[in-house]
Amino acid sequence: MIKTVNLHKLFTTDEVETTALNGVSIEIQPGEFVAMMGPSGCGKSTLLNILGLLDNPSEGEYYFFGTEVAKMSERNRANLRKGNIGFVFQSFNLIDELSVYENVELPLLYMKTPAAERKKKVEAQLERMNIMHRRNHFPQQLSGGQQQRVAIARAVVAEPKVILADEPTGNLDSTNGLEVMNLLTQLNQGGTTIVMVTHSPHDAGFAHRVINLFDGRVVTENFHV
Ligand code: ADP
Ligand code: MG
């Protein structure tokens, strides 16, 4: 389970202080598919980055599957992230200098997965995401929808417990967006916990539950049936 207690996040830049999170307490059960919504600037990405162990809160507690991680060092966070958490971003965030195959292989290289097993896992994801035929191409040679499928393959190749997606369909047309939502749904049905930030009520409809944020706080949590 993912559980936060009274998370605060304060950013200080050029002597300007911004309270991005102002007391966020949430619980997400293993296997849930949760959507996070709210106006621009309300703290969605900040919360997702903390949940994904990319950043620490200024205050509060965060339990990631039982381990308190709010005050972990960058190095320990990075170790826990490996193999446990996969990220998908609006802008895909692929590495332009690496081929499709190499982008997907990267998390397994970080985890020092043996070569034969790496090959098997990368190829399985390329097949599943229907992108095998573009394995030797580079990100800039692909359409947005194809790039996002590569990014999802990279996020899931190490079989993480949790996938965090920050507006994953934000740069896609409706056909490609629907394909991405179907892939996320399939992963969730396979047992992966998913937390997705979205502006789209249509995309939020794929989730079990919507958490609404406003001004750094949770305002409502609506359950879908
Ligand atoms: P959302 O994703 O909901 O649009 P964010 O979480 O990105 O919102 O941002 C919440 C607030 O925190 C905004 O006011 C934003 O400007 C500020 N913020 C986010 N990241 C930083 C940062 N690294 N440094 C300073 N301020 C930041
Ligand atoms: Mg954001």
Side-chain angles (χ1 to χ4, degrees):
M1 179 174 72
I2 282 178
K3 179 178 176 178
T4 74
V5 182
N6 203 21
L7 286 189
H8 285 75
K9 182 70 179 181
L10 190 71
F11 289 110
T12 308
T13 329
D14 299 330
E15 295 176 11
V16 177
E17 289 197 339
T18 309
T19 304
L21 298 179
N22 196 7
V24 173
S25 302
I26 56 170
E27 278 188 26
I28 296 170
Q29 303 302 327
E32 256 199 296
F33 186 166
V34 171
M36 279 204 302
M37 302 187 82
S40 189
C42 72
K44 303 180 299 295
S45 295
T46 302
L47 179 56
L48 205 70
N49 288 342
I50 292 173
L51 295 181
L53 304 173
L54 294 175
D55 201 359
N56 275 344
S58 316
E59 234 184 85
E61 294 151 46
Y62 175 22
Y63 300 91
F64 181 81
F65 289 81
T67 309
E68 158 63 284
V69 294
K71 293 177 188 68
M72 260 191 186
S73 68
E74 168 97 42
R75 189 198 167 100
N76 288 341
R77 266 195 277 132
N79 275 331
L80 188 61
R81 205 158 60 222
K82 272 189 231 166
N84 280 314
I85 297 174
F87 256 100
V88 180
F89 299 94
Q90 176 175 3
S91 50
F92 321 131
N93 286 22
L94 298 172
I95 298 175
D96 289 339
E97 293 73 22
L98 298 183
S99 69
V100 164
Y101 187 98
E102 290 164 339
N103 266 281
V104 177
E105 188 182 31
L106 212 52
L108 300 178
L109 287 171
Y110 288 144
M111 290 176 67
K112 303 190 167 57
T113 305
E117 196 183 331
R118 273 201 321 266
K119 182 168 184 291
K120 214 169 96 189
K121 288 189 169 177
V122 173
E123 288 180 351
Q125 288 307 329
L126 292 174
E127 291 286 0
R128 178 181 195 176
M129 300 299 160
N130 188 23
I131 199 87
M132 190 65 161
H133 57 300
R134 309 299 294 267
R135 56 184 288 161
N136 294 323
H137 287 201
F138 289 84
Q140 296 310 317
Q141 298 173 305
L142 306 181
S143 71
Q146 289 168 333
Q147 288 188 54
Q148 196 60 304
R149 298 210 306 273
V150 176
I152 294 174
R154 181 184 60 181
V156 301
V157 73
E159 293 157 34
K161 287 194 182 76
V162 180
I163 301 233
L164 300 172
D166 199 345
E167 303 192 36
T169 67
N171 283 349
L172 302 177
D173 63 31
S174 57
T175 309
N176 284 307
L178 182 62
E179 189 171 12
V180 162
M181 291 313 303
N182 284 332
L183 286 169
L184 291 177
T185 303
Q186 256 178 44
L187 291 166
N188 176 247
Q189 284 165 352
T192 309
T193 308
I194 299 187
V195 186
M196 172 185 73
V197 170
T198 183
H199 281 295
S200 153
H202 176 259
D203 289 358
F206 286 82
H208 302 131
R209 173 158 67 109
V210 181
I211 296 179
N212 285 293
L213 291 183
F214 187 80
D215 232 358
R217 295 174 197 269
V218 174
V219 284
T220 51
E221 297 183 57
N222 302 316
F223 285 82
H224 295 284
V225 182

